Amino acid sequence: MKNCAVILAGGEGTRMHSEKPKVMAELLFKPMIDHVFDAAKKAGVSDICVVTGYKAEILEAHLEGRAHTVRQTERLGTGHAVMQAADYIRQNDFENILILNGDAPFIDSETISEALVYHTNRGFIQTVISAKIDEPYGYGRIVRDFNGDFCAIVEEASADKETKKINEINSGAMWFKKDALLYLLSKIKNDNSKKEYYLTDTVKIAVDEKMSVGAYTAKNSDAVLGANTRVQLNGLNERLRRKILEEKMLQGVSIPITDGVIIDGSAVIGSDTVILPGTIIKEGCIIGKNCIIGPNTVLYKTKVGNGSALNQVQAEEASVGDNCNLGPFVHLRPNTNIKNSVHCGNFVEVKNSTVDSHTSVSHLTYVGDSDVGKGVNFGCGVVTVNFNGKEKNRCTIGDDAFIGCNTNLIAPVKIGDRAYTAAGSTITDEVPDDALAIARSRQTVKEGWVIKKKPYREKKY
Ligand code: UD1
Ligand code: CA
């Protein structure tokens, strides 16, 4: 039978001072809710229901097609939030229900899976994922009886002095048997100082009714960390950033100085590749071995082969082959395919184009919507003029062509293999293989013109 996760995400997160729901605050470029969502999916949970509330439309749009959503119109506590999902849970054929806090993005799939094994093997109707932490302030405390058996969760606001000293806390994540959850939800009351329906009250109710509950202590105590303010969010970012960098280093990636280096957890990077300061590798990047990436390089959904150097490069949805030398100041825009041993130098932009091997585009050049052959040389300042104000057209440049400095190639146009264009040409017609095209007016020289016209004013020196 299937299991379902209910992610609580209705809170406003007042202390974030944001126009967006708190769970949309980002941890390494990904909203907190997506970290939680991905952990549940990775743990094999098939169905996900998200409880939205504050700015529900934003979350609903963000989750469209990925999760079922239910709205909580008033924020009356975590128990009340889960009640909003009760009909959905009742109507579906689920065995266990996993509750997760949308604002606790460090929960991981191993912790979720191990807790489920513990829950199932011991036949518990409820298994709370707990953690032992140094500073338990603000968290619900795990209370155990004199036998060490878990018997209640006491929230900070309701805790006495002794209870406040307990450093085993509720992560907010918990597994329930479906029917037990539906039953316990119907029993929760809001008779506390905050007049909220606390989900955590389910433990005491279950114990009082002799139902068996357990607390599974997470091996990874970071799994409970959450952020209420942007200062705490910065702390989480730093922690996750460092964790990923250490993983990569242990796999053979060199990061001699970690300043400003941010790598998304999904990145695959080959051994002996060096990542230099100020480099941000966002989601969906695959980088080969022996590369030098950075300094100050930003990659998104980009593939790089082996032995390539990218210095001050920005690339999105692009691919770069082996032994390329790119930069400084190169921008590769979506659908760019740079093959092997290509050089792109200062202030070169490439978009929606293929650049075949051994081609050199050294300075101040725009290559857009073009198919460039092998061994082509671009002089300084070449522009593929791909947009006529209405539509985009392509340029085709043959193998070993030589494009002179400051050539404009007015698309659609084709330059043949080994063909040359003279510097300063504006090329509008096809240039055949092995031809030279000159498209500029011939120079005229007017002897003595300056003496006759005296175009300058008085001498300045
Ligand atoms: C909760 C737990 C606490 C635990 C902590 C772990 C309760 C009563 N307390 O406290 O034991 O140690 O998480 O982080 O469960 N939410 C709604 N609707 C509401 C209230 C909350 O959707 O009416 C959502 C929030 O958006 C958030 C999650 O539930 O994602 C947790 O709520 P929050 O108010 O942050 O609970 P904590 O005080 O952190
Ligand atoms: Ca919280």
Side-chain angles (χ1 to χ4, degrees):
M1 236 194 296
K2 297 186 296 180
N3 294 328
C4 169
V6 176
I7 304 178
L8 308 186
E12 176 175 350
T14 332
R15 283 174 287 167
M16 286 283 177
H17 301 286
S18 176
E19 303 276 292
K20 291 188 257 175
K22 176 183 178 183
V23 298
M24 288 298 287
E26 291 185 359
L27 182 58
L28 296 195
F29 311 112
K30 190 159 108 177
M32 294 202 276
I33 180 118
D34 287 1
H35 287 270
V36 177
F37 183 96
D38 290 350
K41 280 278 168 193
K42 202 172 161 203
V45 177
S46 56
D47 295 66
I48 296 188
C49 174
V50 177
V51 182
T52 66
Y54 177 70
K55 304 265 175 169
E57 359 30 91
I58 295 179
L59 258 184
E60 284 161 5
H62 177 68
L63 292 164
E64 211 190 322
R66 291 194 286 155
H68 181 78
T69 56
V70 291
R71 279 196 190 190
Q72 183 192 26
T73 45
E74 288 172 290
R75 247 66 66 217
L76 301 177
T78 50
H80 182 257
V82 180
M83 287 172 203
Q84 313 311 305
D87 282 343
Y88 173 73
I89 294 168
R90 198 174 291 115
Q91 286 154 14
N92 283 281
D93 197 13
F94 300 131
E95 185 173 5
N96 295 291
I97 310 295
L98 169 68
I99 309 293
L100 294 170
N101 280 357
D103 67 346
F106 270 58
I107 188 75
D108 60 278
S109 59
E110 291 81 22
T111 304
I112 292 172
S113 304
E114 285 164 15
L116 177 61
V117 171
Y118 183 89
H119 174 71
T120 311
N121 287 353
R122 293 172 196 236
F124 290 139
I125 58 100
Q126 178 178 12
T127 300
V128 172
I129 299 177
S130 73
K132 290 193 174 139
I133 60 171
D134 295 336
E135 287 173 28
Y137 178 81
Y139 288 98
R141 306 302 201 286
I142 300 289
V143 179
R144 294 178 182 273
D145 65 16
F146 47 85
N147 291 321
D149 289 335
F150 174 43
C151 58
I153 298 174
V154 176
E155 291 303 311
E156 181 76 39
S158 316
D160 59 24
K161 225 170 137 200
E162 282 309 301
T163 309
K164 281 184 180 164
K165 286 186 191 152
I166 298 173
N167 71 344
E168 183 179 8
I169 56 102
N170 167 29
S171 70
M174 47 186 89
W175 281 105
F176 285 90
K177 288 262 174 245
K178 168 179 161 171
D179 293 340
L181 172 62
L182 292 172
Y183 173 73
L184 292 168
L185 284 178
S186 70
K187 296 277 171 181
I188 303 175
K189 297 198 176 64
N190 65 344
D191 51 359
N192 50 58
S193 59
K194 290 196 173 169
K195 294 274 166 290
E196 284 190 3
Y197 295 89
Y198 290 157
L199 180 65
T200 44
D201 284 350
T202 51
V203 177
K204 182 154 191 318
I205 300 167
V207 169
D208 286 349
E209 302 213 7
K210 308 267 180 288
M211 298 164 106
S212 58
V213 301
Y216 170 79
T217 314
K219 290 184 196 123
N220 163 23
S221 59
D222 277 4
V224 307
L225 295 176
N228 292 318
T229 67
R230 290 180 201 253
V231 176
Q232 288 169 344
L233 193 60
N234 169 256
L236 294 191
N237 269 295
E238 254 319 311
R239 220 169 166 117
L240 183 56
R241 179 180 87 99
R242 183 79 211 169
K243 182 171 167 256
I244 296 170
L245 296 188
E246 286 179 8
E247 265 167 33
K248 298 296 173 213
M249 290 189 251
L250 292 172
Q251 290 161 5
V253 178
S254 265
I255 310 174
I257 309 284
T258 58
D259 291 3
V261 176
I262 306 175
I263 300 179
D264 184 83
S266 70
V268 177
I269 307 177
S271 57
D272 293 313
T273 283
V274 181
I275 310 290
L276 295 176
T279 292
I280 301 177
I281 299 175
K282 298 189 181 174
E283 65 166 292
C285 291
I286 302 177
I287 298 166
K289 297 179 182 176
N290 292 307
C291 292
I292 302 175
I293 309 294
N296 305 324
T297 291
V298 181
L299 306 180
Y300 169 72
K301 292 191 179 167
T302 288
K303 215 176 146 198
V304 180
N306 298 321
S308 289
L310 278 68
N311 172 9
Q312 323 246 15
V313 173
Q314 301 256 336
E316 55 263 11
E317 296 171 40
S319 86
V320 175
D322 298 338
N323 303 315
C324 290
N325 178 4
L326 308 183
F329 314 116
V330 166
H331 188 184
L332 306 182
R333 292 171 50 206
N335 203 20
T336 288
N337 180 2
I338 304 268
K339 303 262 178 89
N340 299 335
S341 304
V342 168
H343 168 58
C344 293
N346 309 261
F347 305 104
V348 166
E349 175 177 335
V350 188
K351 184 213 81 171
N352 190 28
S353 295
T354 302
V355 178
D356 212 337
S357 56
H358 297 282
T359 284
S360 177
V361 194
S362 288
H363 345 255
L364 302 167
T365 289
Y366 173 57
V367 178
D369 303 308
S370 297
D371 299 298
V372 180
K374 296 187 183 68
V376 174
N377 187 78
F378 284 76
C380 182
V382 172
V383 176
T384 54
V385 183
N386 58 331
F387 186 50
N388 61 14
K390 264 203 230 143
E391 71 220 347
K392 302 269 169 74
N393 287 295
R394 294 191 80 81
C395 293
T396 307
I397 300 171
D399 293 345
D400 301 309
F402 185 102
I403 313 298
C405 288
N406 275 314
T407 296
N408 292 313
L409 299 171
I410 311 292
V413 73
K414 185 168 179 248
I415 310 295
D417 290 348
R418 300 169 300 280
Y420 276 57
T421 69
S425 291
T426 291
I427 304 290
T428 52
D429 299 320
E430 176 168 347
V431 183
D433 293 353
D434 301 298
L436 164 68
I438 309 170
R440 62 180 192 224
S441 64
R442 189 167 280 284
Q443 181 172 328
T444 46
V445 175
K446 302 198 172 178
E447 296 283 353
W449 181 86
V450 177
I451 297 162
K452 258 189 270 157
K453 289 277 184 181
K454 293 196 174 22
Y456 47 81
R457 284 171 293 180
E458 83 248 31
K459 248 186 147 173
K460 290 233 171 75
Y461 57 92

